Amino acid sequence: MIKTLVSGGLALLLVAGAAAAEEDKAYDLLFRNGTLDEVDRDATLVYRRDVTNALKPEAAERDTGEVALSIRPGEQDVALLNFRQDDKHRGLGTFPASVGNPMIMYFYESVVRDMAEAAGGSPFYIRNRVKDALVQPSVIETGEASVDGQTVETKTVRLYPFLEDPNRDRMQGFGDLELRVTMSDAVPGWYLSFVADAPGADGAPSIYRSEVHFDGLEAEAAP
């Protein structure tokens, strides 16, 4: 099981490092190919998702749980995502394992859905703004995290899809939304954590926060 140091509410300790001038590489890092190639086909990657949502508390309760990623071998290996909450399980979709880890798309799509549900905006508009942010230059922050008692190198990409949006004042606090993805070669499946945070005004608690972090490997694949 992965154990991380807690810093500022995020189960990750980033050591301040020089921000790399690698703006053109951010998209390639976020959607890196081959991230599941070395994952044991008899193992399940488990991610913990914790959500707070001041506008829709019931949605936060609904969406807090675990996401299990298993790989079904075949002529073309398939990655399966399942959401687990207590004894309830539901499928989230199947994806070609050769492309990479689908958790990145699950993260972005869940944020799009949550924002549209909470703030009442169009999911198509929100999704397009997120897509635009993904192809804009982004500084890559280098840092470190504690993983199973060892210090590993990380890379973090931060996106602010609504920072210059003319409609940001109508987004009920989501105009300041930050999307943050931290990655490491030392973590199976590449992704260590995903955070979406819409901070409250003047230091108030976040209006919305979704945190997904890699929690460990299970020895046997999920059904």
Side-chain angles (χ1 to χ4, degrees):
M1 187 70 69
I2 292 269
K3 295 182 180 178
T4 55
L5 301 177
V6 177
S7 175
L10 173 63
L12 168 71
L13 176 64
L14 284 176
V15 176
E22 300 176 335
E23 293 90 343
D24 58 330
K25 298 181 181 179
Y27 184 90
D28 291 338
L29 284 176
L30 290 171
F31 294 91
R32 187 175 181 181
N33 288 328
T35 50
L36 296 179
D37 290 355
E38 303 302 319
V39 175
D40 191 333
R41 272 33 184 170
D42 291 326
T44 295
L45 282 67
V46 179
Y47 299 84
R48 175 69 190 177
R49 186 182 188 210
D50 293 291
V51 185
T52 57
N53 190 332
L55 301 178
K56 286 279 187 178
E58 66 278 12
E61 183 177 355
R62 176 197 66 200
D63 296 332
T64 293
E66 291 181 340
V67 179
L69 187 160
S70 58
I71 303 175
R72 184 172 63 204
E75 185 175 342
Q76 292 186 336
D77 291 358
V78 175
L80 299 88
L81 292 185
N82 283 277
F83 182 78
R84 309 192 303 203
Q85 189 181 63
D86 299 325
D87 59 347
K88 297 179 291 186
H89 294 192
R90 60 182 170 86
L92 297 174
T94 59
F95 311 83
S98 59
V99 175
N101 189 335
M103 283 299 298
I104 185 72
M105 290 308 302
Y106 166 74
F107 169 65
Y108 286 127
E109 285 297 321
S110 64
V111 173
V112 168
R113 182 202 65 187
D114 291 352
M115 180 176 168
E117 183 179 22
S122 163
F124 304 103
Y125 183 89
I126 296 168
R127 185 178 294 109
N128 286 336
R129 297 291 75 75
V130 172
K131 286 181 179 179
D132 288 345
L134 289 170
V135 297
Q136 297 303 315
S138 300
V139 173
I140 301 166
E141 300 175 1
T142 58
E144 294 178 345
S146 178
V147 177
D148 278 347
Q150 297 185 347
T151 299
V152 302
E153 296 181 353
T154 63
K155 296 182 185 295
T156 298
V157 174
R158 299 171 185 262
L159 304 175
Y160 302 88
F162 308 107
L163 193 61
E164 305 294 334
D165 196 293
N167 298 303
R168 55 181 279 110
D169 291 340
R170 300 163 53 191
M171 294 180 177
Q172 301 194 51
F174 279 88
D176 293 322
L177 182 71
E178 177 191 58
L179 304 176
R180 183 164 73 250
V181 182
T182 298
M183 302 147 279
S184 175
D185 283 314
V187 176
W190 178 237
Y191 302 110
L192 179 58
S193 67
F194 309 86
V195 177
D197 186 65
D202 301 322
S206 295
I207 295 167
Y208 168 82
R209 183 177 177 89
S210 171
E211 181 176 338
V212 182
H213 66 269
F214 178 68
D215 205 31
L217 288 170
E218 291 181 353
E220 296 183 2

